[in-house]
Structure formats: structure tokens, C-alpha cells
Amino acid sequence: MKNMKKLTLGMAVFFCGGSVAIADTMPSDAWYVAPSVNWTKPDTSFGVGKRDVGAGVRFGKALSPNVDIQLGPTYVSVKDTNVHYQQYTLGVDGLYLFSRGNFRPLVLAGIGGEYDKKDAPGVNTSKTSPYIDAGLGFQYAFNDKVALQADYRRVHGFLRGNDFGFKRSDNDYLTVGVNIGFGGAH
């Protein structure tokens, strides 16, 4: 747990604090909005064994030729027999893009908060907890204002309390979205 706190703090400093130093090298208007659809496979410990669809929206900004930052919420709801599980996330991700050409492979890592809710016979519980995530994917730029982004990420939750009967969760997300630039190029 002590190492995870250090990792989370280090990532926060890198993505938030470290980005301020390089932000002034990019146009101040290089923002984009990224609505998305995600397919989620929740951790089986939540009592659901199927995958389902959710949605999200992120706001992103190019910080350097290889680094973007994205922040925003996602939502997913999964019903499996008599169990209903929901997760909301709100977080910030740092993306390292290996290119700014049309095809842009990327890796990502981030931090945030998640709200998990489970309704099942005899169980009605919810909790807000911190998470870290990591993943990989790509962007494909159609022009300087529109790009497709697809990524796979694992959201590792540090569940507070013992309301769910376990302390760690690993939800998998496959996300497909469209990045729509406003202002400068992204």
C-alpha cells in the first residue's frame, strides 16, 4: 500500500505539476472534447460476469509534441441476473503519443476517483474510492480537428471500507471515441 501511495503521488506530480513547465510550448487553444463509448468488463468480485456498454466524455489538451492530458468522467451500468452494478469514474490521464502523424500509437496512465454501486438481493452498497489506471491504444487523425481514439485500460480501484467484501478491484475498459478539436490543432 505504501508503494502504491508513492506511485500515485509520483504520477500526480508528473502529469499535473510536470505538465505546467511544458504547457507554454504549445498553443494555448489546442483543446479537444472526446465523447466516447466504452465496453466494460467489471471485476468478477462485484458479482457480475458479463460485459456491458457505458459512455464517457473527456477534455484533452496537447502539452508537447508527445504528451496530451485528458480529464473527465465515464459511466457504466451492468445487469447480470439479479445483480446490478454501476461505476462512475472521474479522473485525469497522461497520454504519451509516439507520433503526431495521422496514426498515433499511445500509452496512458492516470489517477482519479470511482463511485461503485451494487444492488443485489440482500446487498445495497456504494462507495467512493481512489483509482489508478494504465493502458494503451491509438489515435487516428482525419485532419487537424478530428481524430478517432481507441484504447484499452485497466482501472485498479482501492476500495475504501469493507462494504463490498474485498479491497481491490480491476475493471477493464475498451474505449472508442472521437476527439474534436476547438481552437488550435491537436
Side-chain angles (χ1 to χ4, degrees):
M1 182 67 170
K2 194 174 189 179
N3 288 337
M4 293 306 281
K5 287 181 182 178
K6 287 180 183 177
L7 175 65
T8 302
L9 179 61
M11 288 177 17
V13 168
F14 175 76
F15 291 127
C16 297
S19 64
V20 174
I22 59 176
D24 60 0
T25 64
M26 294 299 292
S28 61
D29 57 358
W31 282 90
Y32 55 92
V33 62
S36 63
V37 174
N38 56 60
W39 290 266
T40 305
K41 179 184 173 284
D43 192 310
T44 56
S45 299
F46 285 114
V48 290
K50 67 185 260 189
R51 297 164 176 84
D52 218 327
V53 177
V57 64
R58 297 218 174 239
F59 292 91
K61 180 169 179 51
L63 300 177
S64 77
N66 295 94
V67 177
D68 278 17
I69 191 166
Q70 294 181 350
L71 56 126
T74 62
Y75 170 75
V76 67
S77 176
V78 180
K79 293 181 183 177
D80 190 2
T81 315
N82 56 357
V83 178
H84 183 206
Y85 168 72
Q86 297 174 72
Q87 183 180 61
Y88 298 86
T89 66
L90 178 62
V92 59
D93 291 313
L95 284 69
Y96 181 83
L97 294 98
F98 293 95
S99 165
R100 284 288 179 183
N102 284 13
F103 182 71
R104 307 169 181 173
L106 63 89
V107 294
L108 64 91
I111 59 174
E114 66 183 50
Y115 172 78
D116 298 291
K117 182 176 181 182
K118 178 180 175 180
D119 291 316
V123 177
N124 184 354
T125 190
S126 62
K127 188 62 86 173
T128 302
S129 306
Y131 75 82
I132 59 173
D133 68 359
L136 53 94
F138 69 90
Q139 293 178 352
Y140 182 82
F142 297 104
N143 56 47
D144 66 344
K145 298 282 188 193
V146 179
L148 171 76
Q149 180 172 322
D151 61 67
Y152 163 81
R153 68 185 68 205
R154 174 157 282 188
V155 176
H156 182 78
F158 300 94
L159 303 179
R160 296 179 326 130
N162 198 25
D163 296 4
F164 295 102
F166 57 101
K167 296 279 190 181
R168 305 282 184 267
S169 65
D170 288 308
N171 289 358
D172 295 320
Y173 281 81
L174 177 61
T175 302
V176 177
V178 177
N179 300 352
I180 304 164
F182 52 94
H186 69 281

